[in-house]
Amino acid sequence: MAMNEVMTEPEAAEYLRCSTKTLKRRRRDGQIAFIRDGRILYLRSDLDTYLQARRTAAVAPPPPTKAHKYRVTRTPAYDVVDLLYG
């Protein structure tokens, strides 16, 4: 997709993963830029700007990794063949 690709309303709604009704409401409220040229069109760059403005950065550190339920100890020489035929 080109950065300034022109999208129809259904294409823009699919790109934003929202309904066309929600897209119309956000357009009416002035949240999303659009082009009126006999029909309503959207630039992908404007949709990306809208998404970026709504983005919230993560502030919490990632959760710690959980320890295994069972303790697993293996030596480098451990092999299934040795276990079966050893």
Side-chain angles (χ1 to χ4, degrees), residues 35-71:
I35 300 167
R36 186 183 308 268
D37 186 27
R39 59 185 176 161
I40 303 298
L41 300 172
Y42 299 88
L43 292 178
R44 179 178 171 201
S45 58
D46 290 337
L47 299 177
D48 289 337
T49 300
Y50 167 77
L51 288 174
Q52 195 64 24
R54 295 181 57 90
R55 185 170 182 254
T56 303
V59 293
T65 56
K66 291 184 176 181
H68 290 286
K69 185 174 181 179
Y70 302 104
R71 187 174 62 187

